[in-house]
Amino acid sequence: MAIWLDQAAEGFGETFAAFLTTKREVSDDVNDVVKAIIADVRARGDAALADYSLRFDGIDFSDVPMRVTPAEIDEAAAKVAPEVMDALRLAAERIEKHHARQMPKDDIYEDALGVGLGSRWTAIEAVGLYVPGGTASYPSSVLMNAVPARVAGVERIVMVVPASGGAINPTVLAAAKIAGVEEIYRIGGAQAVAALAYGTETIAPVAKIVGPGNAYVAAAKRQVFGTVGIDMIAGPSEVLVIADANNNPDWLAADLLAQAEHDPGAQSILITDDAALGHAVMSAVERQLKSLSRSETAAASWRDFGAVILVKSLADAVPLANRIAAEHLELAVDDPDALMAGVRNAGAIFVGRHTPEVIGDYVGGSNHVLPTARSARFSSGLSVLDFVKRTSILRLGPEQLRALAPAAIALAKSEGLDAHARSVAIRLNLEG
Amino acid sequence: MAIWLDQAAEGFGETFAAFLTTKREVSDDVNDVVKAIIADVRARGDAALADYSLRFDGIDFSDVPMRVTPAEIDEAAAKVAPEVMDALRLAAERIEKHHARQMPKDDIYEDALGVGLGSRWTAIEAVGLYVPGGTASYPSSVLMNAVPARVAGVERIVMVVPASGGAINPTVLAAAKIAGVEEIYRIGGAQAVAALAYGTETIAPVAKIVGPGNAYVAAAKRQVFGTVGIDMIAGPSEVLVIADANNNPDWLAADLLAQAEHDPGAQSILITDDAALGHAVMSAVERQLKSLSRSETAAASWRDFGAVILVKSLADAVPLANRIAAEHLELAVDDPDALMAGVRNAGAIFVGRHTPEVIGDYVGGSNHVLPTARSARFSSGLSVLDFVKRTSILRLGPEQLRALAPAAIALAKSEGLDAHARSVAIRLNLEG
């Protein structure tokens, strides 16, 4: 059973502050193991990959090639139900259209002095996409990572996915095919991250690695960060639903459980100004839990981290929402725009009663890779911007240099940097 | 003496590849020390800050307040030479104008189905700016970090700067004043990073920490990452100059030395198609080294990491530049635009012979916080984007939900997520 917090109760401020800092993840310290694996892959390349894949995934690269063949991808796609293929295609198309609008534009201009300034955006040349194995192997995540990379103009997208026991989820390969990913290796874990970062005989290195993974993958991404770029390190999923009295409790319960079924560390929170609705949703959750295939996971998440927060007025929900800074925020209220105007910290907002968060997981068009664990206070969901980088441009002629030189020389001297001052002064026969 | 690489020589490919992977930083393993300091600041707050400041900076907070007073800031600014104050004001104004153009725009729209989609940008609420003490305490860096944060709309900018022996560089305080930073604490090291991330009795926590620092500061930033956002972890500075025969060797030598004087780990590289120019620049570097106040640092950098690379043609310089992915790239050639078109990986490009990189350090208007150590392959310099975050927005009515529901349900079921399917189906009385 989730906790019940009442804004009107004594000590709510402290209770809420404590609730905010609840840890939902056991972070295993796997750094040493991961360090050794990375060093081994750097030293022995493919041979190390073969050893780890045999040991961890039970796959022998003398029987099966490390790289997934085009025929295998086609065969996998042929196995997927037509309605799922259609759904993947619809999702890919909507993701592509939405993300195409995110492409930043170059801005090259001259200022009043005649100084040329600018920003030029270019795609990252090669990106690695980690896809987990087993039940966390989500085809929708392949689309959410690969399509924006493709839209950004990344030429080489390399997917790695562990073939636990030899098998790769065919829908994952179908999603890769739809997203135009052709370079796929059946490797996983820290060894796959190391191979992407440093390269092996078979795999050329990439410049950035994205995608979710277990504790080993997360630790490996942290360790190779700097050599390559990485996306965020995502924690368990979370949803915050703000709801007024005019809601069907069953709809809201379903939304809360859709997060809870992801992970025992997932978190589902309802904020409402109506105690009766709060109680009705709690009952509905208990009822719906019974018929879920992942009821054990969902029940654990709801029991350990679920919460219903009763507020005096809906306006009071907004500052709480900003402190929670949820990955997903649903506004199931009569006037969602009024609340939305005050929301500042949220990964994504789902507006109105007919926008369940799940639509955003799959076919809304927006990205489902979003900041978790309150990091929406300082970071954003995955977008085309994660696959491009900006080069700044400066262009002076002799006249502009003359205009700016005295200030540059004064600052260089005040910082004790002689050679800096000279680099400007020497071009104008000034004293440096 | 720097190394000389000749594209025409046998084994150039291997030599260049080895040159690319040269490590220029000794990364001290200070993680355990930093971990203990962070834990202590979390546990004891201000008392821990007082202890560390006494021990490391020789400053006693029972004599001097931790927070720098407004009077102190005004007095510091009054001590700074008027031409330096003017130069700081000019720099701040140019940085502000340039960065204002970088503000991303909200994009809220309806697609053909009538689905509302969008991206909304908001400023991070509170940002901490770390400023190193001692000789690395650069007023220009205060402007480069604080002005973009201000432009982004960050309401609270907190500066920390260690007062080694009690003193803070007055020009740093003057720069803070010009940038509108009023909340300044005389603390530094890992303890200052911990205070910004977790807060103490005196210091409210921030959501993101930016700014350069030593190995302890860098390790602390890595450790608090997740609780707060951080900017890049910058390594030693570097410049790549591509030059044709028509250059004054003294100008180029001054540019190479302007990087070299920063740090023994800094790197200055010249690529030219003219051997005579290469030799002339090398001689000029030796000559100019003698008259620098930081000649020891610059000589060490040039000796250990400096390089002149002779190419057969200027066009051959471009792929090498993309592999080097330099923080700063100067194009000192007759037709810089021809080369620039092919450059993909560079933090900033300085176009033409009259644009010494040093102008960008101070008064160009572009940011001088740029990706080092080849990270321009996957990341960008500091900009307004580092101080805002994007919330994505999705809005469906009943009609749009009906249109997208079947695909969402098909994907949810194929991923084995019952509650996801139900959350959509239940709203339409469909089978979930």
Side-chain angles (χ1 to χ4, degrees), chain A residues 83-84 87-88 90 94 98 101-102 107 109 111 113 115 117-118 120-125 138-140 155 207 222 225-229 250-251 254-255 257-258 261-262 288 291-294 330 337 340-341 343-351 353-356 358-364 366 376-383 385 389-398 401 404 407-408 410-412 414-420 422-424 426-427, chain B residues 83-84 87-88 90 94 98 101-102 107 109 111 113 115 117-118 120-125 138-140 155 207 222 225-229 250-251 254-255 257-258 261-262 288 291-294 330 337 340-341 343-351 353-356 358-364 366 376-383 385 389-398 401 404 407-408 410-412 414-420 422-424 426-427:
Chain A
E83 71 269 21
V84 173
L88 286 173
L90 176 69
R94 292 187 57 83
H98 178 64
R101 298 178 66 111
Q102 294 174 345
D107 180 33
Y109 65 98
D111 72 6
L113 275 182
V115 175
L117 284 143
R120 192 173 67 171
W121 294 90
T122 47
I124 296 174
E125 290 176 70
Y138 294 135
S140 57
E155 284 116 348
R222 272 186 197 268
F225 174 55
T227 298
V228 296
D250 274 320
W251 295 14
D255 296 356
L257 287 171
E261 74 175 337
H262 270 299
Q288 291 187 22
S291 58
L292 288 179
S293 61
R294 297 168 69 109
E330 287 187 7
D337 291 296
M340 191 159 72
V343 172
R344 176 160 185 168
N345 300 330
I349 304 177
F350 302 85
V351 186
R353 302 183 220 290
H354 290 87
T355 317
V358 167
I359 292 292
D361 284 342
Y362 295 119
V363 289
S366 51
R377 291 172 299 127
F378 54 80
S379 64
S380 311
L382 197 74
S383 77
L385 289 172
K389 64 256 176 354
R390 191 176 47 80
T391 295
S392 81
I393 292 166
L394 198 59
R395 182 196 297 256
L396 280 69
L401 184 61
L404 293 179
L411 290 172
S414 87
E415 292 186 350
L417 297 173
D418 295 4
H420 279 61
R422 181 188 284 158
S423 156
V424 175
I426 200 170
R427 284 172 161 84
Chain B
E83 70 271 20
V84 174
L88 286 173
L90 175 68
R94 293 187 56 83
H98 177 66
R101 299 177 67 111
Q102 295 172 344
D107 179 33
Y109 66 98
D111 72 7
L113 275 182
V115 175
L117 283 143
R120 191 173 69 172
W121 294 90
T122 47
I124 295 173
E125 289 177 72
Y138 294 134
S140 56
E155 283 118 346
R222 275 187 194 266
F225 174 55
T227 299
V228 296
D250 274 321
W251 295 15
D255 297 356
L257 287 170
E261 75 175 337
H262 270 300
Q288 291 186 22
S291 57
L292 289 180
S293 61
R294 296 167 69 107
E330 287 188 8
D337 291 295
M340 191 158 73
V343 172
R344 177 160 185 167
N345 299 330
I349 303 177
F350 302 86
V351 186
R353 303 183 218 288
H354 290 88
T355 316
V358 167
I359 292 292
D361 284 343
Y362 295 118
V363 290
S366 50
R377 290 172 300 128
F378 54 81
S379 64
S380 312
L382 197 74
S383 77
L385 289 173
K389 66 257 174 357
R390 191 175 47 80
T391 296
S392 80
I393 292 166
L394 197 60
R395 181 195 299 253
L396 279 69
L401 184 60
L404 293 179
L411 289 172
S414 87
E415 292 185 351
L417 297 173
D418 295 5
H420 279 63
R422 180 188 285 156
S423 156
V424 175
I426 200 169
R427 286 174 161 84

Side-chain angles (χ1 to χ4, degrees), chain B residues 96-368:
Chain B
E96 184 175 337
K97 274 198 184 144
H98 177 66
H99 286 73
R101 299 177 67 111
Q102 295 172 344
M103 269 304 275
K105 285 182 186 59
D106 291 353
D107 179 33
I108 315 279
Y109 66 98
E110 258 186 29
D111 72 7
L113 275 182
V115 175
L117 283 143
S119 297
R120 191 173 69 172
W121 294 90
T122 47
I124 295 173
E125 289 177 72
V127 167
L129 164 54
Y130 191 94
V131 178
T135 53
S137 183
Y138 294 134
S140 56
S141 290
V142 173
L143 299 183
M144 291 291 176
N145 282 280
V147 172
R150 185 70 69 205
V151 168
V154 174
E155 283 118 346
R156 181 171 163 247
I157 303 175
V158 187
M159 188 170 123
V160 293
V161 51
S164 321
I168 300 176
N169 177 347
T171 319
V172 160
L173 292 181
K177 187 180 157 89
I178 287 170
V181 179
E182 289 165 358
E183 186 177 348
I184 305 174
Y185 301 97
R186 59 186 111 237
I187 53 173
Q191 61 272 20
V193 174
L196 290 171
Y198 294 102
T200 69
E201 300 89 325
T202 302
I203 305 176
V206 301
K208 184 165 184 171
I209 302 175
V210 299
N214 64 17
Y216 292 85
V217 172
K221 281 169 66 182
R222 275 187 194 266
Q223 287 187 26
V224 301
F225 174 55
T227 299
V228 296
I230 61 168
D231 61 347
M232 68 195 83
I233 308 273
S237 201
E238 62 218 18
V239 70
L240 167 60
V241 180
I242 300 180
D244 58 21
N246 303 330
N247 276 283
N248 181 332
D250 274 321
W251 295 15
L252 304 184
D255 297 356
L256 296 170
L257 287 170
Q259 290 309 306
E261 75 175 337
H262 270 300
D263 191 291
Q267 183 165 50
S268 305
I269 306 171
L270 173 69
I271 300 186
T272 181
D273 61 346
D274 186 71
L277 180 91
H279 289 296
V281 171
M282 282 189 114
S283 305
V285 165
E286 297 303 325
R287 213 163 43 235
Q288 291 186 22
L289 260 174
K290 293 184 188 126
S291 57
L292 289 180
S293 61
R294 296 167 69 107
S295 64
E296 207 172 317
T297 302
S301 157
W302 180 243
R303 178 191 66 224
D304 296 337
F305 304 114
V308 176
I309 303 175
L310 182 64
V311 287
K312 294 174 204 161
S313 80
L314 284 177
D316 290 337
V318 174
L320 300 182
N322 282 330
R323 289 176 65 192
I324 293 169
E327 182 189 13
H328 306 107
L329 171 62
E330 287 188 8
L331 300 178
V333 295
D334 281 341
D335 184 3
D337 291 295
L339 292 188
M340 191 158 73
V343 172
R344 177 160 185 167
N345 299 330
I349 303 177
F350 302 86
V351 186
R353 303 183 218 288
H354 290 88
T355 316
E357 180 277 325
V358 167
I359 292 292
D361 284 343
Y362 295 118
V363 290
S366 50
N367 209 291
H368 79 194

Side-chain angles (χ1 to χ4, degrees), chain A residues 149-191:
Chain A
R150 184 71 67 203
V151 168
V154 174
E155 284 116 348
R156 181 170 163 249
I157 303 175
V158 187
M159 188 170 124
V160 293
V161 53
S164 321
I168 300 176
N169 177 347
T171 318
V172 160
L173 292 182
K177 188 181 157 88
I178 287 171
V181 180
E182 289 164 0
E183 187 178 346
I184 305 174
Y185 300 97
R186 60 185 110 238
I187 53 173
Q191 61 273 21

